[in-house]
Amino acid sequence: MTPEELQRIAAEELQARQHARHRIGVCTASGCLSCGSREVLTAIKQEAADKPEMNLRVEGVGCMGLCSRGPLVWVQTNPPPTETSTAASADASPTASAPNLPDASPDDSADITTDASSDRPTGASARAESALLYKQLTPDDAPTLIATLAAAPASPTAAAAPPATTAEQTSAQDSTQTSAQAPATGDHPLAQKICDPAMPFFKRQVKVVLDQFENIDPERLESYLAADGYLALLDCLHHRRPPEIIDEITRSGLRGRGGGGYPTGLKWSTVAKASAFVPQAGQGHAGSGRQSAGEAERPDGPRKYVICNADEGDPGAFMDRSVLESAPHRVLEGMAIAAYAVGADFGYIYVRAEYPLAVERLRKAIGQAEKQGLLGRNIGGSDFNFQVEIRLGAGAFVCGEETALLASIEGRRGQPRPRPPYPAEHGLWGCPTLINNVETFANVAAIINRGADWFASLGTDKSKGTKVFALAGKVANTGLIEVPMGISLTEIVNEMGGGTPDEAGGAIKAVQTGGPSGGCIPAAHFNLPVDYESLQAEGSIMGSGGMIIMDDTAAMVDVARFFMEFCVEESCGKCTPCRVGTKQVLLLLEKIGRGEGRPADLTQLEELCHLLQQTSLCGLGQSAANPVLSTLRFFRREYVELLAGEEEA
Amino acid sequence: MPPAASASSGPADTDQAATPNIPQCTPSNTPKHDASDKRWRPVEAAMRRNGYRPGGLIEALHAVQRSYGYIDDASMRALGATMQLPLSKIYGVVTFYHFFHLKPKGRHTCVVCLGTACYIKGADRLLQAISREQQMQPGETSADGRLSLLTARCVGSCGQAPAVVIDDLVQGQAEGSAINRQLARLNGREEERPAATATKGPPAAGEART
Amino acid sequence: MKRLRLATIWLDGCSGCHMSFLDMDELLLELAPRLELAYSPLVDRKEFPEQVDLALLEGAVSTPEDEAKARLVRARSHLVVALGDCACNGNLPAMRNRLDNAELLDLVYRQQAEGEAGPPTRNVPPLLPHSLPLHRVIDVDLFLPGCPPPAAAIVRALTAVLEGRELSELPTLKFG
Amino acid sequence: MSGGRVITLQIDGRDCGAREEQTILEVARENGIYIPTLCHLNGLHPVGGCRICLVEIAGAPRPLPACVTHPVEGMQVTTDNPELRRQRRLILELMLAEGNHICAVCVVNGHCELQELALQLGVDHLEVPALYPSREVDASHPRFGLDRNRCVLCTRCVRVCGEIEGAHTWDVMGRGLQAMVISDLNQPWGEAESCTGCGKCVQVCPTGALFEKGKSAGEMVKRHLHLPLLTAMRREEEAGE
């Protein structure tokens, strides 16, 4: 596909959207599917089919984030075709209400009304007049929903509006929107199900990775192209040399989003500098004496590999799943750019088998991209070849560790090996291999499109850009958010998360970040800025982005026990400290939890934790003690209170 | 302190130790491993795609499990012979990954997510309620081979915690009595249609069907 | 010179460690003037004395009776030595720990026994869930592993105590 | 394999010359510096799993296994200090607590590398509670036996069988604490069709987990000094093809 063809398809897609009188988007990511969005989509489609005169365009779209209120559905009413240009210009201002947004990204506002559209160079003025976000819709609501659209006057401003309180909030913030939302809506039949677009959950977001998810049909390439998809890849292939791309990524300050935070540009340049290598037949199969001579893994010459780590194993994290289910092409595009930059021609996506929908959509996306010449041979008419294959994980947390992941792709037990050598130099079948996380790759196209400076202007000094977090646990709004690095935990938990859910009412006690490798940060420290270094200084880690909010019913010794139990089950068994040490720590935590602990047990607990950190072979064991050490640090009193009386005489 | 072996738990153990209540292979679902068995073809295809190289082992195992619902000795022998892999190595790989099963699972599966978010929202109590009502321990398959009660380490539906996956369909904000009712209905449906065969798809897999 | 008040105690063990103690042979004669054997299965004394300087405990802790005895010894002894593998790591008695008690008794007294006698019920203390090394029950000052620990090592330890040397400087002994 | 770049490093303050493909362990041994090891065995590929041979390297955030770490110009290695000794000791304790290591009744009593290490590292009791596993003993082979309760998962048997004998009868199944050595499809060893009965696995086993039948406690002496020679011969054969 040439850039011109790409632009033509994108324009057609935008035009088609614009021609519809109303556009309806139904979330088809797992969160909403698990509460019935598939049925809602079917019902709405049925209604639309019954009323062709209404000219409705109904799409399944990507994740909109607010999973706890699913199924989520947005409805957008287009202006009559002739008014398009004026509508677009008149609508350019509302995003001013978005908090602290850099100038370069006006459309990154979390406001769903503006997010549902774009003013990109190729945007061809598809900007909506207004969009409403409905929550917790059921198939039974479909006729009502369509009826409200039918009843709406020609002017889109009166299509519908949020409840009165919302209008007040919104108008206080942004007078330009009041006209669209002022009309009395008390009699809107679905008033109770309309989401307030001004809620901090949406308002505070800055979307790069999740950008336009609500606009992208995950199963259609055209839909991604209309969101500037593959523009960056073709730009790279035709106008940039690999070192320039690596330089762009380096200057952007992007760091690995899988948790480690290693500078992405540096990793890319290491792989780029490494010489390609003929895959070693015997490598890693040294134990297999039966291997016949000359049976190379890939017999066709020296190679480098690009691997996307989508083995999202942290319990409580579902960012990668959502990205893959919502915009698989965005990840593929990032991988292809990376491959071009480092000189690789083959890629693997290592996905958890527990994510069948993500796998299915990725498979479909790879097929579409290959068909359109965006993957495969001579991509975009250039001489760059890049082939991508999916590899399924099989239920082993440790395979998120990069050397274990490599072992798994090589068809072996997913056991890590000591590093160095690092995969960048000695990776898959001995070849230089670039391994990045899903979210890291999903940032790449935006950086190429909008420049390193734009990206670097987001976030903090050392942690640039945004981060996607999965909010879960005892918080009102659970789901996915994307925020600039450096935002405080209190903004995320209390404002965006909306505090404790109504039914509970207990005070929020702590937030757990980084899963079994992370730690618990007490509510008293919620002014902490969320970036790699700050979280580490507090004994936690950024991790892949799971945030579990706990209220005062959570017993921290039990929380530590929970994570240690996880590590015991997920330890691969290769190294002694992790295999046996985690079990010993678990036994101590159980003993303390039963009220049988002695002061000496706390000492031993700490000693074993430090042994795990210092002497384990891989990251799993080295970080397994973090949940214990961090709860010991901030909630030591809970441990001490559980100790049995002093030693008997 | 109890002996370690009896204190440990988890789905893999039940595969690796002898588990009671697992139905034996019946003639109808005993795999054959040649072109005469239609179900073996995807396995053959998976190996071929990977040039019959050892690197394709896990892909091939996925194919076996998709076709037969579990991975038996005969399948492992067939893979070993075709891909020139030692048997112990294949067995080591199969048992390393919790997704692979050595024994057939029930015709229906109920997977309770024990991830952090679900745990915080009471997944352990949920599991107890289901376990009590179904009179099965996690990891077990009912004597009639109808239902397997499994646990997962996180199905990624944390925003909807606690989550339960029944026959590949995720149920968000799950609640014990509703799940039990649903499981009862599953059984009821089956009785109406005695011819119902094994569920499709990986048994312990966990997301919404599309 | 004040004589060292020594006690030796036999818990769940085979008395092999006590045999090794006697194996000191003629060295016993050298040590005898400096020791007072205040309590031991080797001497006729029923009650554990109020206070001893050094207690050598052989055997694992397998019954509540063993446990009570170990605690009593600890309370009344200045130094406590775990004598032999059973006291140091459980050794043979701990081999039962992989079974639970009901299983164990059934195995020994029914499955592998002549007739259907069943486990004895009179004049035997019940079993603790596990046979434990001494230090899981009381604080231990010195470990002398070995099955049995060599007589020379016992001499070395006794001499070190008599001479008031640091016990931590004694060489480590081998298990088994 | 020989003829790599020559570099100098310091081990315990001593200047040592090394080729870059050597490991720190090899260099240390050449220079008469002792580093305790367990899973490592001359002639087999190192895996770095047991963590007994950990050494400190100036600038590294944590100790690294000497058996798989290669020297770098100017590297400063410490093979022994109180912290390392404490760590090795604790790791060994974990290992001893994991299995049922009853030396008194073990066939290799007195010839056991694990027992010897405990002596060297000063382990005379376990600070951590023993786990008392109940693992199967496989006595199905006519000449040899396997007591998994004495296995420390060093994988020497797996490696010698795959790398030198070429049978690959052994591998490790499961993971974590449930990991254990198996033959073929977790069959009784005596029924494993791939086993050639060469007995190399028995000879390389550092403990009494693998043993010859008919030997009583203390009788089993392991012989594996010939291994490096086998490796070298094998390499020569392959090169000649």
Side-chain angles (χ1 to χ4, degrees), chain A residues 337-529:
Chain A
I337 293 171
Y340 175 67
V342 302
D345 64 355
F346 205 94
Y348 287 102
I349 304 181
Y350 188 86
V351 203
R352 297 181 76 192
E354 290 88 339
Y355 287 178
L357 182 62
V359 173
E360 186 187 313
R361 288 191 174 158
L362 263 176
R363 211 158 253 156
K364 201 172 260 182
I366 292 172
Q368 291 164 345
E370 281 174 350
K371 200 170 160 204
Q372 293 295 336
L374 294 165
L375 283 177
R377 303 198 68 80
N378 300 103
I379 295 175
S382 73
D383 54 7
F384 170 60
N385 306 325
F386 182 56
Q387 199 183 332
V388 176
E389 275 185 19
I390 296 173
R391 279 289 179 275
L392 287 188
F397 174 70
V398 69
C399 288
E401 200 277 343
E402 53 184 22
T403 59
L405 186 152
L406 292 176
S408 188
I409 293 183
E410 290 173 0
R412 296 183 287 126
R413 291 164 58 83
Q415 290 186 320
R417 59 156 173 82
R419 297 179 305 179
Y422 289 92
E425 285 166 332
H426 189 95
L428 196 61
W429 290 299
C431 305
T433 304
L434 174 73
I435 306 177
N436 277 142
N437 160 271
V438 170
E439 195 182 329
T440 313
F441 281 127
N443 271 299
V444 169
I447 293 172
I448 299 297
N449 278 334
R450 306 166 97 173
D453 296 334
W454 160 77
F455 190 83
S457 71
L458 298 165
T460 68
D461 197 30
K462 284 187 168 169
S463 304
K464 308 287 191 194
T466 58
K467 178 77 191 83
V468 182
F469 288 104
L471 291 184
K474 295 291 182 70
V475 67
N477 304 323
T478 59
L480 274 200
I481 54 166
E482 183 171 4
V483 290
M485 294 272 194
I487 189 173
S488 72
L489 274 171
T490 195
E491 281 172 279
I492 293 179
V493 176
N494 295 321
E495 296 177 29
M496 303 180 76
T500 41
D502 303 335
E503 70 262 26
I508 287 179
K509 181 177 182 176
V511 61
Q512 208 280 343
T513 70
S517 313
C520 294
I521 298 166
H525 293 231
F526 274 10
N527 55 358
L528 187 77

Side-chain angles (χ1 to χ4, degrees), chain B residues 43-96:
Chain B
V43 182
E44 181 68 29
M47 289 192 285
R48 191 172 347 103
R49 256 199 316 281
N50 290 286
Y52 298 98
R53 286 182 289 256
L57 175 60
I58 292 175
E59 289 290 292
L61 290 170
H62 272 296
V64 172
Q65 187 155 299
R66 265 194 299 270
S67 279
Y68 301 98
Y70 71 106
I71 298 166
D72 67 342
D73 280 8
S75 298
M76 287 187 270
R77 284 178 193 280
L79 293 184
T82 318
M83 303 169 81
Q84 290 196 297
L85 279 169
L87 295 179
S88 58
K89 187 166 188 157
I90 299 178
Y91 199 87
V93 169
V94 170
T95 53
F96 183 86

Side-chain angles (χ1 to χ4, degrees), chain D residues 159-210:
Chain D
R159 286 175 282 155
V160 79
C161 188
E163 293 173 19
I164 300 203
E165 176 62 11
H168 207 119
T169 301
W170 298 113
D171 210 316
V172 177
M173 74 164 273
R175 66 189 194 205
L177 278 174
Q178 270 74 45
M180 63 174 192
V181 167
I182 49 147
S183 47
D184 283 4
L185 293 177
N186 193 17
Q187 295 152 277
W189 186 5
E191 294 166 24
E193 54 262 65
S194 68
C195 176
T196 62
C198 73
K200 290 189 189 70
C201 51
V202 175
Q203 300 304 333
V204 299
C205 175
T207 72
L210 285 164

Side-chain angles (χ1 to χ4, degrees), chain A residues 30-31 67 296-297 315 318 321 352 354 357 360 391-395 408-410 412-414 473 478 558 561-562, chain B residues 50 53-55 57-59 62 86 92 96-99 114 116-117 119 121 153-154 156 158-160 170 172 207 210:
Chain A
S30 284
C67 303
E297 282 300 330
F318 50 95
R321 190 203 59 181
R352 297 181 76 192
E354 290 88 339
L357 182 62
E360 186 187 313
R391 279 289 179 275
L392 287 188
S408 188
I409 293 183
E410 290 173 0
R412 296 183 287 126
R413 291 164 58 83
T478 59
D558 188 56
R561 186 202 57 75
F562 172 84
Chain B
N50 290 286
R53 286 182 289 256
L57 175 60
I58 292 175
E59 289 290 292
H62 272 296
F96 183 86
Y97 296 98
H98 283 183
F99 197 79
L114 296 181
T116 323
Y119 183 75
K121 294 226 175 164
R153 266 305 171 190
C154 186
C158 318
Q160 297 283 349
V170 179
E207 291 308 295
T210 51

Side-chain angles (χ1 to χ4, degrees), chain A residues 11 134 169 171 191 294 324-325 344-345 394-395 431 470 495 546 552 573 623:
Chain A
Y134 294 88
Q169 286 172 359
S171 64
L324 292 171
E325 286 175 357
D345 64 355
C431 305
E495 296 177 29
D552 48 18
S623 63

Side-chain angles (χ1 to χ4, degrees), chain C residues 36-111:
Chain C
E36 176 197 342
L37 197 53
Y39 179 87
S40 170
L42 306 171
V43 297
D44 190 18
R45 175 157 186 179
K46 299 281 179 279
E47 293 297 316
F48 196 83
E50 284 302 315
Q51 194 274 324
V52 300
D53 297 317
L54 175 66
L56 305 177
L57 276 96
E58 173 195 340
V61 180
S62 298
T63 64
E65 191 191 13
D66 291 343
E67 191 178 346
K69 207 164 182 181
R71 289 187 195 284
L72 180 77
V73 170
R74 176 71 266 184
R76 295 183 178 182
S77 309
H78 180 58
L79 289 173
V80 169
V81 175
L83 185 67
D85 275 358
C86 298
C88 291
N89 72 4
N91 205 26
L92 296 192
M95 287 178 79
R96 74 166 165 97
N97 292 352
R98 51 188 278 183
L99 302 172
D100 73 36
N101 285 340
E103 258 182 291
L104 173 80
L105 294 175
D106 188 70
L107 186 72
V108 174
Y109 290 99
R110 287 210 175 82
Q111 295 178 38

Side-chain angles (χ1 to χ4, degrees), chain C residues 84-85 87-99 130-133 135-136 142-145 147 171-176, chain D residues 96 100-105 109-111 115-116 118-119 121-130 132-137 147 149:
Chain C
D85 275 358
C88 291
N89 72 4
N91 205 26
L92 296 192
M95 287 178 79
R96 74 166 165 97
N97 292 352
R98 51 188 278 183
L99 302 172
H130 278 171
S131 272
L132 298 171
H135 66 280
R136 301 234 77 85
L142 176 67
F143 294 87
L144 294 179
C147 190
T172 310
L173 297 179
K174 202 168 68 171
F175 290 119
Chain D
L96 288 165
N100 296 322
H101 298 285
I102 313 292
C103 301
V105 292
N109 187 10
H111 314 288
Q115 187 183 30
E116 180 62 28
L119 182 64
L121 301 179
V123 176
D124 54 15
H125 70 288
L126 304 183
E127 287 295 338
V128 293
Y132 306 120
S134 188
R135 303 184 188 141
E136 256 178 76
V137 177
D147 182 350
N149 298 293

